[in-house]
Amino acid sequence: MPTNEKEYNGYLLDQLHALQRIEKIAKKIGNEELLEAIEEEKRFVNEKLYQNPSLTAE
């Protein structure tokens, strides 16, 4: 479990990077369903990463 916002954001960025690597392969093989699923997951991660207010806002 992340102990602070910086660590949590690091996990989210790792997820985005993994999705980008998978997306690159999906584009090569032309799998549109997989590309749609990846885009949806990227939206979910970005919502968490750029949430307002941030985790530290009080």
Side-chain angles (χ1 to χ4, degrees):
M1 188 90 191
T3 58
N4 59 43
E5 186 174 8
K6 184 176 180 180
E7 186 177 356
Y8 183 67
N9 286 346
Y11 288 132
L12 293 173
L13 289 170
D14 287 343
Q15 290 178 2
L16 279 178
H17 293 154
L19 287 168
Q20 289 170 345
R21 290 190 298 272
I22 296 167
E23 182 179 34
K24 185 177 177 181
I25 295 167
K27 285 179 180 178
K28 282 185 181 179
I29 62 174
N31 189 328
E32 290 301 319
E33 289 180 22
L34 182 56
L35 287 169
E36 289 175 17
I38 291 168
E39 282 304 314
E40 185 175 22
E41 290 301 319
K42 285 170 61 176
R43 277 195 306 275
F44 294 151
V45 173
N46 278 317
E47 285 176 7
K48 293 176 188 175
L49 188 59
Y50 299 110
Q51 67 185 340
N52 193 12
S54 66
L55 296 174
T56 58
E58 295 181 18

